[in-house]
Each structure stands twice: as C-alpha cells, then as structure tokens.
Amino acid sequence: GAGVSQTPSNKVTEKGKYVELRCDPISGHTALYWYRQSLGQGPEFLIYFQGTGAADDSGLPNDRFFAVRPEGSVSTLKIQRTERGDSAVYLCASSLNPGATDTQYFGPGTRLTVL
Amino acid sequence: AQSVTQLGSHVSVSEGALVLLRCNYSSSVPPYLFWYVQYPNQGLQLLLKYTSAATLVKGINGFEAEFKKSETSFHLTKPSAHMSDAAEYFCAVSQASNQFYFGTGTSLTVIP
C-alpha cells in the first residue's frame, strides 16, 4: 500500500516568507508526527497529533510554527516569517495507534531552504 | 530528560565483516529503544525496537540489538556486512509521552 507522502519534496523561499508543508499519512493511521532534521543531526520532535488534535506541541521552536490536521488525516505544517535558521528537512511520520512503542512510518521529507 | 548518544558519526567496515554501531541512552525511567535506517533519498525505516520484552531483539535484514540496562546501551550488530547495508543509522528512545529522541546518526560505509 501507499506509504507516507510529503509535498513538496523541495521548497526554496526567501527570508520572511510564509510556507506550508503537507503530509499525507498512511490511511487509517491515527497518530501523526512532525520532525525537523538539520544537517548532520538526527530528527528533532516538533509536534504530535492524535486524531485531529495536537496531543503534544512542545517541540515547536516558537510561535512562527503551527500545524493542523483538521480531518484527522492530512496535516499541514505552517511556518510564518521564515528565517535562514529554519532551513532543514522536515519529516512527517504516522503510526496506526498513538503509542510510544508503535512503529512510526516516515515520509521522504521536505527539504526547506530559506535564502 | 532523555537523550541518545551514538558514538562514531562514520563507521567503515569491509564486506562480510561484523557491523557494530553504538548507542547509549540516558533515561530516568525504563525506555523504549529503536533503530532506524535511512537510505539516500528515502524515509527512515524501522530496523528493530525494544519494548521491555526480550533484551535481545532481532530486526530486518539480519540486524539485531541487545538492551543492556547496566550499561545503558542498545548497540546494533550484524554478523556479516553487505554492500546494501550502506546507509545512515539512527538510534532513538521514547517513553510514554510519545516523544521520540533521536541520536545524531552513524553513517555506515561498506568497503568491497
């Protein structure tokens, strides 16, 4: 079956612009996670959804970052007033159930470059 | 607080040789531990996970890892490296909060 997909695969924007990154999880997966991976680093947790609600958004770095999952499926990560430091690969993952031991299935990521 | 340390950002082995990738964790409570592999231009894929059952965990592609509480380690091994094993490997830890903490990764090169 289809895995987790993310669009776009690459996004180049200018400092100060607004961007939206989309994640399509595996059908039927109730939990959805966003991570940020900077060069040479491991994925860093941003936010976790259980259904439509953000169960834990403690990893969002500041109020320029926001994510939604209005129908409990597709999620969008929104970044306002982008800064050069936001440049990274943004990863999305989904799992069937929202458990700490549940296998997370990752998408290929969106590479964001802020000029 | 939880954290994961992966010793060695780059590891090179000869084809057919033992693969050993090191992971140490710090956690105030018994953790759940994972190893993920990332091939170029692909998403992270789960290799194996420890969830408080057997301490020796077998995963896909011939990999296994042993949870050693006394050493706070969860090293990944494979008896015989294959060219297709060349990739980036990440160790991760989680607890009941559902937050996952990843290490900085180890890039494995397999020399023919």
Side-chain angles (χ1 to χ4, degrees):
Chain A
V4 177
S5 62
Q6 293 185 247
T7 55
S9 55
N10 280 282
K11 176 69 176 179
V12 180
T13 191
E14 294 180 343
K15 180 173 178 288
K17 299 290 187 181
Y18 168 83
V19 296
E20 290 189 352
L21 312 179
R22 176 187 168 107
C23 172
D24 281 87
I26 294 172
S27 178
H29 279 196
T30 60
L32 186 147
Y33 302 78
W34 282 100
Y35 294 88
R36 177 170 67 177
Q37 187 174 17
S38 300
L39 193 63
Q41 301 295 316
E44 174 192 15
F45 170 83
L46 295 177
I47 186 171
Y48 147 60
F49 286 90
Q50 183 173 330
T52 60
D56 185 347
D57 64 358
S58 61
L60 295 177
N62 51 60
D63 61 5
R64 295 187 297 106
F65 288 74
F66 189 71
V68 295
R69 194 186 186 201
E71 297 178 357
S73 177
V74 171
S75 176
T76 305
L77 178 65
K78 308 180 181 191
I79 310 174
Q80 299 177 323
R81 305 182 303 279
T82 52
E83 299 177 357
R84 291 193 179 88
D86 298 335
S87 296
V89 176
Y90 288 82
L91 300 172
C92 175
S94 69
S95 64
L96 182 61
N97 296 305
T101 62
D102 257 57
T103 299
Q104 294 188 19
Y105 296 85
F106 282 80
T110 293
R111 182 176 298 279
L112 175 66
T113 303
V114 182
L115 302 177
Chain B
Q2 303 172 78
S3 68
V4 172
T5 302
Q6 292 185 240
L7 294 175
S9 58
H10 297 274
V11 171
S12 293
V13 299
S14 297
E15 191 175 13
L18 172 72
V19 175
L20 171 61
L21 305 182
R22 299 179 185 275
C23 173
N24 288 86
Y25 69 91
S26 66
S27 175
S28 56
V29 298
Y32 305 120
L33 294 157
F34 306 78
W35 274 101
Y36 280 85
V37 60
Q38 187 174 32
Y39 298 104
N41 300 316
Q42 294 186 29
L44 280 79
Q45 178 183 1
L46 180 70
L47 274 178
L48 50 79
K49 61 182 177 182
Y50 166 75
T51 59
S52 74
T55 56
L56 181 62
V57 182
K58 294 187 183 298
I60 61 171
N61 301 337
F63 284 93
E64 63 181 37
E66 186 172 8
F67 171 67
K68 292 187 176 180
K69 184 178 178 180
S70 61
E71 299 178 6
T72 61
S73 70
F74 191 58
H75 301 330
L76 182 70
T77 61
K78 181 174 181 178
S80 176
H82 192 273
M83 296 298 294
S84 61
D85 294 328
E88 187 87 14
Y89 291 80
F90 292 94
C91 182
V93 61
S94 76
Q95 292 178 353
S97 65
N98 278 40
Q99 280 201 25
F100 281 66
Y101 298 87
F102 285 81
T104 53
T106 297
S107 177
L108 176 66
T109 299
V110 181
I111 304 166

